[in-house]
Amino acid sequence: MMRCTGTAVFFTADSEPGKKGQFDTQYMDGLCISEEDIRRSVRKTLDEMAPGGSYIALFALKTPGRNAVVVDEIKRYSGRFYSHPRPDAL
């Protein structure tokens, strides 16, 4: 199930009732947030949500250049959880 509140998106994982996670896009779009702060936030969300698989990252930042930082950190860090590519992505 997905519900939107402002720019934060909350997901409830069907496999674990009550488990919720989000990318805090309001935080990552903040004026005084550094690239390392964004990367740390991405890692925190992945640490909370990615174990066990089936987590799909969904985010949309308004500040130019920040979406690329998030994508880069997801690619770098998600190898801890998803070490094998999907068969249809080979």
Side-chain angles (χ1 to χ4, degrees):
M1 181 172 86
M2 179 175 74
R3 68 183 168 88
C4 296
T5 59
T7 60
V9 179
F10 296 83
F11 294 92
T12 301
D14 293 335
S15 60
E16 298 182 48
K19 183 176 182 181
K20 296 180 181 179
Q22 71 179 25
F23 280 106
D24 188 346
T25 55
Q26 289 178 335
Y27 169 77
M28 292 192 294
D29 251 342
L31 294 175
C32 299
I33 301 304
S34 70
E35 180 176 324
E36 183 52 38
D37 292 332
I38 293 169
R39 291 180 183 278
R40 189 175 14 262
S41 181
V42 169
R43 292 190 299 267
K44 176 184 177 289
T45 301
L46 291 175
D47 284 341
E48 292 171 354
M49 297 305 299
S54 299
Y55 181 70
I56 300 171
L58 176 65
F59 60 92
L61 303 178
K62 296 178 182 178
T63 307
R66 291 192 179 175
N67 285 312
V69 172
V70 174
V71 169
D72 182 62
E73 190 61 25
I74 290 170
K75 287 179 180 178
R76 290 174 186 231
Y77 196 69
S78 64
R80 297 182 56 208
F81 308 104
Y82 308 115
S83 59
H84 301 289
R86 291 176 21 174
D88 61 342
L90 297 175

